[in-house]
Amino acid sequence: KEPSMKGKTILRIVRWIFAALSAAIALGGGIGFAAQQAAWASAPGESIWPLPGLVLLEWAAFGVVGFMGILLAENPHNLSWLGASWFVIGAYLPLVVLGALSIGPFVFLSLVALLIAAALTSWQLKVSLLPRIKFLLIGTVAIFGLL
C-alpha cells in the first residue's frame, strides 16, 4: 500500500530530523572536544594537531556530508548523495572503535541517527540496500586506512 501524501511528508520530516540530529551531534561534539583538547594543550609548543584534531575535523565534516546526503537524495537522479550518506555511516565505524574511550559513544549516537535517516530514505525511495552497503564498506575501509 502506498503511503498518503501526508504520510510521505511526515516521513520526510522524520528523516530530516534524524539527519539534523546526526549533524548536530557531529558538529557539536567535534567543536566541543576540540575546544576541550585545545584548553588541555595550552602549554607552549603543544597542539592537538594532527591527532586528535584531524579526527575531530573529520567527524564534524562527515556530519555535514551525511546531512546533505539525506537532504539532496530527494529524487532518483540524486542517489549518489544517498551513497554519500552511507559512506559516512561506514566512515563513522572506525571512529567509534578507535575512539571507544573518548569520542566513540558520541560518534555512535551520530551514526545511529544517520543510519535511521539513511534507511528511511532508502525505503521511501524504494532503492535496494545492497548497493548502499558497498558505500558503507568503502567508507569503513577508507577511514581505517587513513587513520
Side-chain angles (χ1 to χ4, degrees):
K1 180 180 171 186
E2 274 296 309
S4 67
M5 186 57 111
K6 182 179 178 182
K8 287 182 180 181
T9 303
I10 291 172
L11 186 60
R12 180 180 294 142
I13 292 169
V14 169
R15 289 185 347 222
W16 290 353
I17 288 171
F18 276 107
L21 178 63
S22 175
I25 293 169
L27 285 171
I31 292 169
F33 276 100
Q36 181 185 35
Q37 291 291 320
W40 286 349
S42 60
E46 286 189 37
S47 174
I48 66 169
W49 299 100
L51 290 174
L54 179 62
V55 173
L56 297 173
L57 182 64
E58 282 179 359
W59 180 24
F62 285 146
V64 172
V65 170
F67 177 68
M68 295 302 297
I70 298 300
L71 287 182
L72 296 175
E74 286 297 318
N75 61 39
H77 301 295
N78 286 338
L79 286 182
S80 59
W81 278 103
L82 183 57
S85 292
W86 283 101
F87 177 89
V88 169
I89 292 168
Y92 278 163
L93 291 173
L95 298 181
V96 169
V97 172
L98 295 175
L101 298 176
S102 57
I103 66 169
F106 298 101
V107 177
F108 182 74
L109 291 175
S110 186
L111 181 147
V112 169
L114 187 59
L115 180 62
I116 291 169
L120 288 174
T121 303
S122 297
W123 178 73
Q124 188 175 19
L125 295 175
K126 295 178 177 61
V127 295
S128 173
L129 286 180
L130 195 55
R132 306 298 159 234
I133 300 300
K134 172 180 64 175
F135 290 108
L136 186 143
L137 292 174
I138 292 169
T140 302
V141 170
I143 297 308
F144 258 131
L146 182 65
L147 294 176

